[in-house]
Amino acid sequence: MEKKPHFVRREFLPREVPSISLALLLAAVLLLNALLYLYLNKFSSSLGRVETDSGLCPFGHFKFGAVKNCSPWLSCEAINREVRKLKCVGEGAVKKVFLSEWKEKKVVLSQLTNSELKEDFLHGLKMLKALQSKHVVRLLGYCEQQFTILTEYHPLGSLRGLNETLHIPKYKGMNTWHRRLMLAIDYVSVIRYLHSSPLGTLVMCDSNDLDKVLSQYLLTSDFHVLVNDLDALPLVNRSAGRLVKCGHRELRGEFVAPEQRWPYGEDVPFEDDLMPPYDEKTDIWKIPDVSNFFLGHVEGSDIVRLHLFDIHAACKKKDPAERPSAQEVLDTYRKVLTLLIREAAIPGTREML
């Protein structure tokens, strides 16, 4: 009797099993990618903060907290009658800042302290009114005659206290590479907004060292970044041949851009009239240093720095024209965040395939 071949099962089964496994693996990867896509869309809207903001009101109005309706900016009379100072919480060259109360809500009252700098104060008010957006602290009212500005209160204060805040038990869960990178994205988003603002290209001049930069921004309770101090925002207008200079004194140090430093050497005394003007690319030069502060030294931050190495090297080009725009930096930051979140969600996917 002729024996039936028994090799059929042995020959096909080993081939079928890997095929099924590979199909299941591909299906799982596709499902994970679909879930990740939905997550990133939701995630980016909160971290990148989409351009439209339902919390914004028509010009001349505000709302905050749980209030649904917009109210007109408070006038001199309303501020004098309804706002109560609680304590002084800060003082700079231009103004003194008071934690205050309005209708049982904490607010911030800023008042001019040096009459010689009233033009700076009024310029800051003008910028604050014109630039109201999700990137800028909310204006609640003002009184030009008394040189007073009323803004929203953010209890976490300026970015100078970021590391201390992240060590508070309540916020330790925020002390991660992705949350820190989100703050850096917020910061670059502000710079991008200033460079393409409704008023034109504005340069953040109060930025001669890291501490000064951090003092200009607030950390919100939901961990976003707002620009708070707009006293020094000169306008670049290339078509009119208008560039800027950040103040009338000599700037030194590696933090400021090369074009902001005196170009004629130590042997030639500094003269403001001889100092060449420059453009908004000075802000780009400073981005890597500020982002390095944001990233800190948590697990994963060095990997983020590695992915940002090329764009940061471009930011540090000596020739301002060779540096990227704030939009290009922002696009790169967002791509890096998306890439790293995908790799964290699907570790080893590339190797399996």
Side-chain angles (χ1 to χ4, degrees):
M1 181 184 291
E2 189 176 338
K3 293 184 179 181
K4 294 181 180 180
H6 297 287
F7 59 82
V8 175
R9 180 180 296 273
R10 281 197 302 269
E11 183 151 293
F12 283 92
L13 186 58
R15 291 182 181 179
E16 289 173 357
V17 171
S19 299
I20 294 171
S21 298
L22 183 59
L24 289 172
L25 176 62
L26 287 171
V29 169
L30 289 172
L31 178 61
L32 280 171
N33 271 305
L35 292 173
L36 183 63
Y37 175 78
L38 294 173
Y39 167 73
L40 286 173
N41 273 351
K42 182 179 179 181
F43 188 67
S44 63
S45 68
S46 63
L47 81 92
R49 307 182 76 188
V50 289
E51 294 301 322
T52 56
D53 187 343
S54 59
L56 293 179
C57 291
F59 183 81
H61 294 73
F62 73 93
K63 67 176 179 178
F64 71 103
V67 179
K68 294 182 179 180
N69 298 325
C70 295
S71 302
W73 286 334
L74 300 186
S75 63
C76 296
E77 181 185 358
I79 291 174
N80 292 332
R81 185 180 64 250
E82 301 172 12
V83 177
R84 181 170 66 94
K85 291 181 186 177
L86 298 178
K87 63 178 179 178
C88 179
V89 292
E91 183 173 2
V94 178
K95 53 187 177 285
K96 186 178 286 188
V97 180
F98 297 90
L99 175 62
S100 304
E101 193 174 59
W102 174 70
K103 293 189 176 179
E104 299 182 349
K105 296 182 180 69
K106 296 289 191 303
V107 292
V108 174
L109 189 71
S110 301
Q111 292 184 318
L112 178 69
T113 55
N114 186 345
S115 59
E116 294 180 0
L117 298 175
K118 64 182 180 181
E119 293 303 321
D120 292 343
F121 184 91
L122 292 175
H123 176 74
L125 173 58
K126 177 185 175 183
M127 294 294 105
L128 197 53
K129 290 192 290 185
L131 299 176
Q132 284 295 288
S133 70
K134 64 190 177 75
H135 303 291
V136 178
V137 70
R138 192 163 294 157
L139 178 64
L140 309 180
Y142 64 92
C143 180
E144 284 193 36
Q145 297 94 312
Q146 298 173 7
F147 297 98
T148 299
I149 299 174
L150 193 71
T151 54
E152 189 173 10
Y153 172 63
H154 293 279
L156 295 183
S158 80
L159 288 176
R160 285 190 297 191
L162 174 64
N163 289 323
E164 289 76 8
T165 297
L166 289 172
H167 282 95
I168 297 173
K170 179 181 178 180
Y171 299 111
K172 278 189 175 180
M174 297 287 195
N175 197 15
T176 61
W177 68 263
H178 63 274
R179 179 60 67 173
R180 284 176 169 271
L181 179 54
M182 286 162 60
L183 291 174
I185 288 173
D186 268 2
Y187 165 72
V188 177
S189 296
V190 174
I191 298 299
R192 187 278 311 268
Y193 175 67
L194 294 178
H195 288 186
S196 56
S197 83
L199 301 177
T201 302
L202 300 167
V203 181
M204 193 68 177
C205 267
D206 263 346
S207 56
N208 297 336
D209 57 63
L210 179 61
D211 192 65
K212 186 64 175 174
V213 170
L214 299 175
S215 71
Q216 309 301 303
Y217 296 85
L218 295 172
L219 179 64
T220 67
S221 296
D222 60 348
F223 270 71
H224 284 290
V225 174
L226 297 175
V227 62
N228 180 51
D229 196 328
L230 304 175
D231 293 346
L233 276 184
L235 179 69
V236 169
N237 188 338
R238 286 192 184 82
S239 60
R242 183 195 301 166
L243 299 178
V244 304
K245 287 192 286 188
C246 291
H248 304 288
R249 298 179 181 177
E250 182 178 1
L251 301 179
R252 296 176 178 269
E254 293 299 315
F255 188 82
V256 296
E259 64 271 22
Q260 291 184 281
R261 302 172 210 152
W262 180 244
Y264 303 118
E266 295 289 339
D267 295 334
V268 181
F270 176 82
E271 288 187 40
D272 184 43
D273 291 341
L274 298 179
M275 180 67 198
Y278 33 83
D279 62 17
E280 77 281 1
K281 291 298 184 73
T282 58
D283 289 333
I284 304 300
W285 170 273
K286 298 160 189 173
I287 286 176
D289 298 292
V290 180
S291 290
N292 187 55
F293 167 81
F294 279 122
L295 292 175
H297 300 285
V298 297
E299 182 180 356
S301 62
D302 286 341
I303 299 298
V304 178
R305 287 184 178 90
L306 184 63
H307 280 80
L308 296 177
F309 180 84
D310 288 342
I311 192 68
H312 282 173
C315 291
K316 290 293 187 179
K317 293 279 189 181
K318 188 172 183 180
D319 182 356
E322 294 181 6
R323 295 174 205 153
S325 67
Q327 183 65 62
E328 290 169 324
V329 178
L330 181 60
D331 290 342
T332 302
Y333 274 38
R334 285 174 170 165
K335 287 176 184 176
V336 167
L337 177 63
T338 302
L339 171 67
L340 292 177
I341 290 176
R342 182 180 291 122
E343 289 182 354
I346 317 177
T349 302
R350 195 176 300 154
E351 289 76 4
M352 286 191 294
L353 294 177

